[in-house]
Amino acid sequence: MVDLYPLARPFLLRMDPEQAHELTIRALKTGLVPPAGGRDPDILRTRVLGLELPNPIGLAAGFDKNAEVPDAMLKLGFGLVEAGTVTPRPQPGNPRPRLFRIPAAGAVINRFGFNNQGIDAFAGRLEARAERPGAVGANVGKNKETEDAAADYAVGIRRTAPFASYLVVNVSSPNTPGLRTLQSKEALSALLARCLEARKQSGAEPPLLLKVAPDLAEQDKADIAEVVLGSGIDGLIVSNTTIARPDIIPPELAKEAGGLSGRPLMVPSTQVLGEFHRLIGGRVPLVGVGGVASGADAYAKIRAGAALVQLYTALAFNGPALVTRIKRELADLLARDGFRSVAEAVGADHR
Ligand SMILES: Cc1cc2nc3c(=O)[nH]c(=O)nc-3n(C[C@H](O)[C@H](O)[C@H](O)COP(=O)(O)O)c2cc1C
């Protein structure tokens, strides 16, 4: 099949960014996706969270909020795909415009606010594909108006656990008022207990991970690590978008509320990842996300402590060929440094 992306790219990047995304999802839904270039290099095969994966490069949450195209994204070469964030009830999210490109910085700011079709549509789609191969995670959140946050997460977990390869409790979006306060020690401990209880009630036992923000004080990180290890959850995703506005962001865009992702997030999110590696030290796997745009970036996340890597923003700027390129570059870097697998390189910077 011919890859039409190079032809479409200039048009997509000139369109309103949210419309470009909607068009991309529609195109992917047709199923006419050019399959990625061949088998993954053997060195990238990895087993994490009990999942056998052809490679450690995942699609981060937010691209496929409604679980409409997980199989198309697996076909593009991702080793795993995270759908969501989904909330129990459908909700429209914030008013448009709510997605802003910053091409010169390789970044975007978004304040979507969990726009999504709700758990019924989401779980139905995951159920319909549950027998297919490929790791698909379900990232769950809360509706804007919900007071008892844990009740919403419990619904998301109960409904998706039977059909998801893994579950993610997202407490780190900057675009739902109060959400990130769930990262504080007592709140987090109570929330994770209810999430694990919900998973038990579902009768299924996919691994359950927590996704955190990069904007955390030292004490927050120590508390989160303690709660993660004490709770018995299975992993940690570091990180979501940042509320910081580094100097590279022009002032007229820096003033837009929302989470910043892409290249400016690479260094700070990898630093936070490294700190969690130090605090958690291999006792549960870490997933590194934030600013990955090359094999070298993915390798840096792995060396800092990530067993898996995810990306989103760079895909929007570079298109699907990026996935194959990152995998090839990563395989070369691992071999260059004498590693025989991804697992061998995890946390190498700390040794
Ligand atoms: C437009 C957009 C929407 C996002 N939506 C979600 C979301 O619904 N849930 C979530 O956990 N993360 C969401 N994210 C965060 C990404 O999953 C990821 O953590 C972050 O963008 C950093 O990775 P990147 O620099 O590769 O994009 C979103 C990111 C972007 C750019």
Side-chain angles (χ1 to χ4, degrees):
M1 197 178 304
V2 193
D3 181 3
L4 294 176
Y5 182 80
L7 283 175
R9 184 174 184 275
F11 297 99
L12 287 171
L13 288 182
R14 233 172 288 148
M15 281 174 77
D16 165 76
E18 186 166 351
Q19 281 176 353
H21 182 71
E22 288 163 350
L23 188 63
T24 302
I25 296 284
R26 249 185 285 152
L28 290 164
K29 277 172 83 172
T30 64
L32 297 174
V33 179
R39 238 179 75 112
D40 289 338
D42 281 338
I43 197 170
L44 296 186
R45 280 199 82 79
T46 192
R47 186 183 165 84
V48 183
L49 298 163
L51 306 170
E52 292 286 348
L53 305 170
N55 71 75
I57 308 299
L59 176 64
F63 180 91
D64 188 11
K65 284 181 185 273
N66 297 303
E68 295 175 284
V69 294
D71 293 292
M73 300 314 283
L74 289 165
K75 197 167 153 191
L76 287 180
F78 282 106
L80 64 162
V81 168
E82 189 168 311
T85 296
V86 64
T87 58
R89 282 164 284 118
Q91 63 178 26
N94 291 320
R96 300 190 192 203
R98 52 194 181 176
L99 177 60
F100 306 87
R101 285 189 201 104
I102 313 158
V108 311
I109 290 172
N110 93 82
R111 53 165 175 270
F112 272 110
F114 293 167
N115 57 312
N116 78 103
Q117 298 168 1
I119 196 69
D120 288 338
F122 186 99
R125 291 187 190 115
L126 282 195
E127 181 171 13
R129 66 139 334 261
E131 300 302 313
R132 293 201 202 147
V136 178
N139 176 311
V140 303
K142 71 175 277 283
N143 281 109
K144 186 177 179 189
E145 312 294 348
T146 300
E147 302 259 329
D148 180 8
D152 274 10
Y153 288 92
V155 168
I157 289 168
R158 273 199 303 274
R159 294 289 307 278
T160 58
F163 319 116
S165 307
Y166 67 96
L167 304 167
V168 180
V169 175
N170 175 18
V171 288
S172 45
S173 164
N175 304 316
T176 294
L179 194 81
R180 288 168 304 147
T181 61
L182 294 169
Q183 295 178 119
S184 69
K185 197 172 182 183
E186 281 73 35
L188 187 61
S189 180
L191 175 66
L192 293 181
R194 287 196 49 196
C195 289
L196 288 168
E197 179 61 27
R199 181 178 68 172
K200 200 164 166 192
Q201 289 167 357
S202 77
E205 277 189 279
L208 189 136
L209 293 83
L210 176 72
K211 182 169 179 179
V212 295
D215 313 302
L216 297 169
E218 288 312 306
Q219 190 60 48
D220 298 336
K221 285 174 244 179
D223 288 349
I224 289 169
E226 189 185 324
V227 173
V228 163
L229 292 173
S231 68
I233 67 162
D234 305 287
L236 188 65
I237 305 184
V238 186
S239 73
N240 215 309
T241 56
T242 180
I243 55 170
R245 294 290 182 268
D247 290 343
I248 186 159
I249 309 302
E252 68 277 14
L253 285 160
K255 72 176 187 339
E256 295 293 350
L260 175 72
S261 59
R263 200 191 305 137
L265 187 54
M266 175 65 199
V267 167
S269 70
T270 306
Q271 240 154 26
V272 179
L273 173 71
E275 286 164 48
F276 275 112
H277 178 83
R278 187 173 52 76
L279 291 162
I280 287 182
R283 282 171 283 180
V284 299
L286 305 180
V287 180
V289 48
V292 172
S294 68
D297 294 338
Y299 187 48
K301 297 275 188 199
I302 291 165
R303 293 188 59 110
L308 298 171
V309 175
Q310 296 178 323
L311 64 106
Y312 178 173
T313 302
L315 187 71
F317 286 116
N318 296 280
L322 179 70
V323 186
T324 302
R325 198 186 90 212
I326 288 178
K327 289 189 293 185
R328 195 182 56 235
E329 290 171 354
L330 175 60
D332 288 349
L333 289 165
L334 287 165
R336 180 198 72 186
D337 291 351
F339 294 114
R340 285 162 301 175
S341 66
V342 176
E344 278 188 1
V346 174
D349 282 347
H350 304 269
R351 293 197 283 271

